[in-house]
Amino acid sequence: GDAVMAFWGAPLNCPDQAEKAVLAALDMELELELFKQEVGELGIDFDIGIGIHTGMAVVGMIGSEQRSDYTCIGDSVNLASRIEGLTKDVSRILVSEETKNQCGIGFDFEEKGSYTVKGRQKQVILYAPLRRN
């Protein structure tokens, strides 16, 4: 597919993993703007959406003897993917309340509303992160 997944906290513990994920997303957004200027001259329209959730996951070599990958699976991974799917027309980067709460004071967040997400009974409140000036 066309998705890229990144995760923090494995194989080594990373206590500030939520902050690192949000910072990486904001850095990606800056680089995207530079890239869009380059390809825009060629008439190419390009955009991305980034969904971030912080939670527990199963991490390790997953698969079979014929094919295995070092990856992560679980409800938190699924939620991050669902959040990414909601970015279009809302915000290029969306984070869950769990991620927002674990980021400390390094960022500001703009609430973007509550959304029904497949696999969840309760609506998920999503936020767009902003760099602090």
Side-chain angles (χ1 to χ4, degrees):
D2 61 354
V4 174
M5 177 178 62
F7 57 90
W8 285 258
L12 302 174
N13 186 32
C14 181
D16 58 346
Q17 60 188 287
E19 292 173 7
K20 287 187 185 306
V22 171
L23 184 58
L26 291 168
D27 286 348
M28 288 171 62
E29 186 174 43
L30 286 176
E31 289 299 318
L32 174 67
E33 290 306 319
L34 296 173
F35 180 73
K36 286 177 78 162
Q37 289 175 8
E38 288 179 30
V39 297
E41 296 170 2
L42 303 173
I44 300 170
D45 187 29
F46 183 84
D47 209 349
I48 63 172
I50 302 171
I52 303 174
H53 175 64
T54 305
M56 298 297 290
V58 174
V59 180
M61 294 301 294
I62 297 172
S64 67
E65 285 184 19
Q66 290 78 32
R67 180 183 168 151
S68 66
D69 288 308
Y70 187 81
T71 191
C72 58
I73 59 173
D75 181 62
S76 61
V77 178
N78 293 341
L79 181 54
S81 176
R82 303 278 192 249
I83 292 170
E84 183 277 328
L86 294 168
T87 59
K88 190 174 179 122
D89 299 325
V90 177
S91 179
R92 184 173 286 138
I93 305 168
L94 289 173
V95 305
S96 67
E97 192 162 34
E98 289 82 355
T99 297
K100 173 190 165 284
N101 290 342
Q102 289 192 30
C103 278
I105 61 170
F107 308 98
D108 289 322
F109 292 90
E110 180 182 342
E111 185 174 329
K112 292 296 185 175
S114 298
Y115 296 85
T116 301
V117 177
K118 182 180 175 183
R120 296 270 167 150
Q121 295 276 356
K122 192 175 161 186
Q123 287 197 324
V124 177
I125 303 170
L126 299 177
Y127 302 85
L130 307 164
R131 290 183 195 269
R132 283 219 165 135
N133 293 330

